[in-house]
Amino acid sequence: METENSSVSRAEELKALANEAFRAKKYSQAIDLYSQAIELNSQNAVYYANRAFAHTKLEEYGSAIQDASKAIEIDPRYPKACFTYQIFVTPVHVKKLSPNDPDAAQKVKECEKAVKKLKFEEAIAVPESERHSVADSIDYRSIGMSPSSSFVSTQAAILAATATVVVAVVVMVWPAVATTVAGMVVAVLMILGAYWWGSCSGSGVFTKSRKLELEVEPQYSGARIEGDVITLDFVKKMMDDFKNQKCLHKRYAFQIVLQTREMLRALPSLVDIDIPDGKHFTVCGDVHGQFYDLLNIFELNGLPSEENPYLFNGDFVDRGSFSVEVILTLFAFKCMCPSEVFCFLPLAHVLNQKVFVVHGGLFSVDGVKLSDIKAIDRFCEPPEEGLMCELLWSDPQPLPGRGPSKRGVGLSFGADVTKRFLQDNSLDLVVRSHEVKDEGYEIEHDGKLITVFSAPNYCDQMGNKGAFIRFEAPTLKPNIVTFAAVPHPDVKPMAYANNFLRMFQ
């Protein structure tokens, strides 16, 4: 009995330490301490419920559901556990437990809105074979204020002027037939207008092969692209405008996105990158819409160029509130250097046939070869299982073998899985991102796997460092550089998100 009481007391001490770590936003440490408390007293629903909330902070929703389910199993009437579980399943039980709680009612309402949104999206969905990208219907050259005078037909202008003179003469000499002649002239002018407008919009009976190009408003003072070529001067000006919270004209935003789309569509799902001896190559992890920290990376390591290539390893946007600025900057550099100098969006990359770079992790089965990855058709919504899903979502675990995903999608894999994959493909190292790390990186699996995360003080609350890895050829020994967050305008993370997402802030 004394030993049992001692275990319970120690478990409470660990819970108190875990609560302090949680309040200090050290969520990984809090999870570890709650786990130690559970080992001493596995029948306390509070420990599981608290650990579930800590998992939500790290976006480990699969583990959060498991812990909340266990807490409900121990104490079916524990509201905190029920709420955590129902947030991800259904809000009904929370409403029954706390019918008069206005905060619970608001959260239930947000859950119901989220469910309705999913049902609406499902209702309007069309088969994959019938889907067409809106990008196919956009011509960025037709976005602007007014037609360029150089595209107005000289012949049309002469005819219009002549018709006007004829009407004036007829009105003065033959007033009786003026109305008839004027009507005919109006009809001619309407035809000329349709002809001219057709040349502008690229549609209609009178469409010309060359579309009319519109001008950007003269009062627009931001970065401008001259013609179709994106230059370093433009990118620098655009980044400086973004830094000062100015906007880019939508014409240029469309141009950047559409040009990048064409480049990315031509890339394979697995890209091989050759780094010449004496040259270097930088791999960055998640940036998550933290534009000012992206600028800091460039300040520390130089702008992307032929001599200073980068690979940004997924999760460029979301969470941070400067996602548009981040993605337009990355895409603009891609357009500026269209070779494999600035690589993103394929499923994986291999550096000098030695380093495998992937966003998430490895697979639920052994024997996957690089050729299998190259064969993946990635131009679709990410599936919920299979190689593509696992490349995007899987995470390493300290134990050998494989286990369930703490996120609820993909899987967890051990050092033995990493070792076999590297041996099967004659590789030396796996570099992945996908997880916030206190120091900006973590070396695991006997040194054969590195996680790199490049969004310091993630969501303005985690207090973590950021990092990037600089590889030098021919050895490709990883040189890890860490950095702290830099100040940014007072825009809260996920400022654009709805109330449902803000419940977890």
Side-chain angles (χ1 to χ4, degrees), residues 388-433:
M388 181 173 172
C389 171
E390 291 161 1
L391 285 165
L392 296 174
W393 286 102
S394 294
D395 296 292
Q397 65 179 22
L399 299 176
R402 295 176 172 91
S405 169
K406 57 192 176 185
R407 302 174 186 271
V409 61
L411 72 146
S412 298
F413 60 95
D416 55 331
V417 176
T418 299
K419 181 179 179 181
R420 288 194 295 269
F421 173 78
L422 292 174
Q423 289 176 341
D424 289 345
N425 291 282
S426 301
L427 298 167
D428 296 338
L429 179 69
V430 173
V431 174
R432 43 93 59 181
S433 304

Side-chain angles (χ1 to χ4, degrees), residues 72-363:
I72 293 171
E73 178 186 320
I74 296 170
D75 184 357
R77 296 194 60 79
Y78 184 42
K80 187 175 183 179
C82 292
F83 170 67
T84 305
Y85 180 81
Q86 299 302 329
I87 279 295
F88 300 101
V89 185
T90 173
V92 175
H93 196 53
V94 177
K95 196 170 184 178
K96 289 180 179 178
L97 281 175
S98 308
N100 299 317
D101 185 340
D103 183 57
Q106 178 61 30
K107 289 178 170 61
V108 167
K109 186 176 180 180
E110 293 297 335
C111 290
E112 291 172 339
K113 285 172 60 179
V115 171
K116 288 180 181 179
K117 179 175 180 290
L118 292 173
K119 289 182 177 179
F120 176 75
E121 290 173 350
E122 182 179 349
I124 64 173
V126 297
E128 187 70 33
S129 60
E130 299 178 15
R131 295 180 184 178
H132 302 283
S133 173
V134 68
D136 295 330
S137 64
I138 297 174
D139 176 18
Y140 64 82
R141 297 177 183 85
S142 67
I143 300 172
M145 178 192 68
S146 60
S148 172
S149 59
S150 61
F151 281 80
V152 178
S153 169
T154 302
Q155 292 89 337
I158 293 172
L159 284 172
T162 303
T164 303
V165 172
V166 169
V167 171
V169 171
V170 169
V171 168
M172 290 184 293
V173 179
W174 298 294
V177 297
T179 302
T180 302
V181 174
M184 294 173 61
V185 170
V186 168
V188 171
L189 292 176
M190 289 178 64
I191 293 173
L192 289 173
Y195 175 81
W196 177 72
W197 179 253
S199 72
C200 171
S201 64
S203 60
V205 177
F206 299 100
T207 300
K208 291 169 61 178
S209 60
R210 183 175 66 174
K211 296 181 181 180
L212 181 135
E213 187 160 348
L214 302 186
E215 297 176 346
V216 171
E217 294 81 353
Q219 63 267 31
Y220 171 71
S221 61
R224 290 175 178 261
I225 301 174
E226 301 298 333
D228 292 332
V229 179
I230 294 174
T231 64
L232 180 59
D233 287 341
F234 164 79
V235 179
K236 286 181 176 179
K237 168 64 173 169
M238 180 183 71
M239 290 193 298
D240 190 60
D241 287 347
F242 286 161
K243 184 177 180 180
N244 293 302
Q245 296 188 277
K246 296 180 180 179
C247 294
L248 179 69
H249 194 282
K250 62 182 179 180
R251 174 197 179 109
Y252 304 130
F254 276 121
Q255 180 173 348
I256 291 168
V257 172
L258 292 173
Q259 288 186 4
T260 305
R261 177 175 180 258
E262 292 306 307
M263 293 177 188
L264 295 177
R265 291 174 70 177
L267 294 178
S269 292
L270 177 67
V271 177
D272 292 300
I273 297 174
D274 293 321
I275 308 170
D277 289 356
K279 300 296 183 178
H280 66 270
F281 193 90
T282 301
V283 177
C284 295
D286 301 16
V287 179
H288 275 299
Q290 297 184 195
F291 176 70
Y292 294 84
D293 293 307
L294 175 66
L295 294 182
N296 190 37
I297 292 174
F298 294 153
E299 183 72 24
L300 295 170
N301 198 55
L303 292 174
S305 68
E306 296 286 344
E307 298 299 319
N308 190 34
Y310 280 81
L311 190 160
F312 279 82
N313 194 29
D315 277 353
F316 321 117
V317 300
D318 197 17
R319 305 300 190 273
S321 288
F322 304 96
S323 292
V324 172
E325 291 88 339
V326 166
I327 201 65
L328 286 176
T329 298
L330 297 183
F331 280 2
F333 273 117
K334 178 65 179 177
C335 292
M336 193 188 80
C337 303
S339 64
E340 295 310 321
V341 164
F342 198 77
C343 312
F344 43 84
L345 294 194
L347 296 177
H349 297 76
V350 175
L351 310 184
N352 282 15
Q353 302 178 349
K354 292 182 178 181
V355 180
F356 180 72
V357 185
V358 65
H359 179 69
L362 301 181
F363 311 101

